[in-house]
Amino acid sequence: MPRYFIQMAYNGANYHGWQVQPNAVSVQAELEKALTVVLRLPIAVVGAGRTDTGVHASFFVAHFEMPHPIEDLKHLTYKLNSFLSNAIRIDLIFEVASDLHARFSASSRTYRYFISTRKEPFREATVAYVPYDLDVDMMNEAAQALLSTIDFTSFSKLHTDVKTNNCKVSVARWYRHDGLLVFEIKADRFLRNMVRAIVGTLMDVGREKITKEEFFKIIELHDRGLAGASAYAKALFLTDISYPEPYNSSFIRYPIV
């Protein structure tokens, strides 16, 4: 059966995350409904991962299968965009090998978190307002410990069904862009609530509520109760996912800070 990748983006403000769940509106459910109506077949989609309630994706990938080839993928893209709400955008659909998987074939994922230390009336919906000074250099020094960390239990949501809390982080940095403070983190996988818990704890370092040495200790003790509060979901974006070539080069990567 032909398998297709969908590159998409969505504003997660009004969704209970990506994954289908009872009595809640999810991005996956909306996409499956749209595909089923447009293709006139019951369609199930598999996403690259789970974003939490309120979290956005400027770059997301899902796959689905059809019993026969789709002749006009550009027209399908147009039809889906016409059917879906303005909070979801379909960027691209293309055929892939039958063993390529939106989730398991991904080698890395990148998230960015956006902060402003002044009120942002025109970006309030997607930027976290932090009304105090942050020591960015100190937060960057603390963040470097994440590159050598394996077990991220201290930053994981409790009582989840994952088999391991091990992740490999390859990028963890703070930088300034367009008047905002941005945290970027890239890893092979992420745990539920992991990025928001890391951001919240690093902000404690930046506010001098804890030292960077105390941050290191929090990592070592594998206790979520010692880490800081989770940062707001509204300012977190999934911004990139990497796949094997030649497929990785097939995506459209729109500029993002």
Side-chain angles (χ1 to χ4, degrees):
M1 291 174 52
R3 176 171 291 190
Y4 296 90
F5 263 19
I6 301 177
Q7 178 189 334
M8 59 189 292
Y10 56 85
N11 184 317
N14 295 321
Y15 295 99
H16 291 262
W18 158 261
Q19 191 173 27
V20 170
Q21 49 191 300
N23 305 315
V25 180
S26 71
V27 180
Q28 184 182 22
E30 293 291 293
L31 180 58
E32 288 183 342
K33 179 182 177 181
L35 282 166
T36 297
V37 170
V38 172
L39 295 174
R40 300 180 181 180
L41 288 170
I43 301 293
V45 297
V46 176
R50 305 175 184 178
T51 53
D52 294 335
T53 298
V55 175
H56 317 291
S58 62
F59 185 100
F60 192 84
V61 177
H63 78 248
F64 70 98
E65 292 182 334
M66 284 284 289
H68 53 75
I70 301 172
E71 294 183 4
D72 193 338
L73 294 173
K74 286 186 177 180
H75 183 66
L76 175 59
T77 301
Y78 170 79
K79 293 285 286 184
L80 288 173
N81 277 320
S82 299
F83 187 89
L84 290 162
S85 78
N86 289 335
I88 302 174
R89 182 187 72 214
I90 306 300
D91 290 315
L92 189 66
I93 304 174
F94 59 95
E95 188 172 356
V96 297
S98 60
D99 61 346
L100 199 69
H101 195 283
R103 179 182 175 188
F104 298 124
S105 297
S107 58
S108 69
R109 297 155 178 84
T110 302
Y111 281 88
R112 289 189 177 99
Y113 194 89
F114 299 91
I115 291 173
S116 178
T117 53
R118 65 174 187 172
K119 286 187 175 182
E120 293 283 349
F122 307 110
R123 297 191 284 191
E124 191 277 333
T126 55
V127 172
Y129 170 49
V130 177
Y132 40 76
D133 292 331
L134 293 169
D135 187 329
V136 179
D137 291 336
M138 193 63 68
M139 291 193 299
N140 263 323
E141 288 181 25
Q144 292 310 295
L146 301 172
L147 303 180
S148 56
T149 298
I150 297 175
D151 189 331
F152 283 83
T153 298
S154 293
F155 305 112
S156 172
K157 187 177 181 67
L158 298 175
H159 311 303
T160 61
D161 57 357
V162 297
K163 296 180 180 178
T164 175
N165 287 336
N166 291 356
C167 306
K168 184 177 181 181
V169 174
S170 55
V171 175
R173 65 177 184 131
W174 292 90
Y175 63 93
R176 296 188 184 277
H177 182 89
D178 193 24
L180 299 179
L181 179 59
V182 184
F183 179 63
E184 179 183 43
I185 185 167
K186 179 179 180 179
D188 60 342
R189 64 190 291 264
F190 287 90
L191 308 172
R192 287 189 64 188
N193 203 54
M194 175 174 158
V195 180
R196 292 166 57 204
I198 288 173
V199 170
T201 312
L202 285 173
M203 284 198 292
D204 285 346
V205 175
R207 294 177 65 187
E208 299 183 358
K209 289 181 64 177
I210 63 172
T211 65
K212 63 180 181 181
E213 288 76 19
E214 288 172 319
F215 179 79
F216 302 155
K217 197 67 177 179
I218 288 170
I219 294 174
E220 293 173 5
L221 292 176
H222 303 156
D223 184 348
R224 177 64 183 94
L226 299 175
S230 296
Y232 293 124
K234 69 175 185 178
L236 180 59
F237 287 73
L238 174 58
T239 60
D240 199 15
I241 307 169
S242 295
Y243 289 92
E245 293 294 0
Y247 302 105
N248 203 53
S249 300
S250 300
F251 295 108
I252 304 169
R253 287 184 167 84
Y254 295 102
I256 187 168
V257 297

